[in-house]
Amino acid sequence: MGRPRSPRGRARETHERLKHEYPDADCALTHDSPYQLLVATILSAQCTDERVNMVTPALFERFPTPEDLAACDPGELEELIHSTGFYAAKTRNLMAMADRLVRVHGGEVPTTMRELTALGGVGRKTANVVRSVAFDLPGLPVDTHVGRLSRRLGLTTQTDPVAVEKELNPMVPAAERGDFSMRLILHGRQVCGARRADCGGCVCNDFCPSAFAV
């Protein structure tokens, strides 16, 4: 097989190889509904998925609906999510998000990017997670792993997550953008680390422009 020369070609080949490497690329945040995923994703900012999954069972038991969360005592919420970090800001965001869900959307999580990003604490990354995971809609979340691997693979030179997303979107079939992001995240965690990359164990090392240089 010839070495892909264009960013689009490298994206396509990366996508195909990572499909085989990570066939079951599921969201690591435990959730049973779009509301729970939205809350968990907001909590995951500057926090590990493992830690969030330790916090959310008690959180969802105490505040099972947006109505419950919107009307909660901020101090109680802060105590429940304290270990996820930035708990004061996350408490404000969660309560603002829940309040708008109740007032504007009847307690239901919306599906459009515009409506999602109008919720407290929800940027494009969180909105794309909810769209792709909860609703099976096109959405390519760009976190630090996706940004780093995209640059190393020569798919983009952009550093701003929104700019990275806009460059990657045309390279990946709309229905597969969420899975592409998830597999890049898994590969970034397991193989292509921020400080050290295991290029010898990488399935993309024959065409990655950064192979064996990291």
Side-chain angles (χ1 to χ4, degrees), residues 111-133:
T111 61
T112 70
M113 179 64 68
R114 179 181 60 82
E115 291 173 320
L116 283 166
T117 54
L119 301 172
V122 178
R124 289 191 65 88
K125 173 192 166 185
T126 296
N128 276 319
V129 170
V130 172
R131 279 174 54 82
S132 61
V133 176

Side-chain angles (χ1 to χ4, degrees), residues 11 25 74 78 80 172 194:
E78 285 187 0
L80 283 168
V172 184

Side-chain angles (χ1 to χ4, degrees), residues 12 14 22 37 49 62-63 66-68 77 80 83 85 87 95 98 120 122 141 164 170 177 181 185-186 189 198-199:
R12 182 169 56 248
T14 298
Y22 310 102
L37 178 62
D49 293 344
R62 181 66 183 86
F63 308 117
E67 290 81 2
D68 297 318
L77 180 55
L80 283 168
S83 65
Y87 58 90
M95 293 185 69
V122 178
V164 172
R177 289 171 186 163
S181 171
I185 291 170
L186 290 172
R189 288 174 176 169
D198 179 17
C199 294

Side-chain angles (χ1 to χ4, degrees), residues 100-195:
R100 186 172 177 84
L101 279 186
V102 174
R103 288 188 299 103
V104 180
H105 303 288
E108 298 295 324
V109 177
T111 61
T112 70
M113 179 64 68
R114 179 181 60 82
E115 291 173 320
L116 283 166
T117 54
L119 301 172
V122 178
R124 289 191 65 88
K125 173 192 166 185
T126 296
N128 276 319
V129 170
V130 172
R131 279 174 54 82
S132 61
V133 176
F135 297 114
D136 200 25
L137 294 170
L140 203 161
V142 176
D143 72 347
T144 56
H145 297 292
V146 174
R148 180 178 72 253
L149 268 64
S150 296
R151 288 185 290 275
R152 286 181 179 174
L153 286 159
L155 310 184
T156 182
T157 60
Q158 300 289 341
T159 57
D160 176 72
V162 175
V164 172
E165 179 195 343
K166 289 182 178 179
E167 286 208 359
L168 293 182
N169 274 340
M171 302 180 188
V172 184
E176 300 180 31
R177 289 171 186 163
D179 288 340
F180 180 64
S181 171
M182 192 67 63
R183 290 184 172 106
L184 284 179
I185 291 170
L186 290 172
H187 198 59
R189 288 174 176 169
Q190 299 181 26
V191 178
C192 194
R195 296 184 179 180

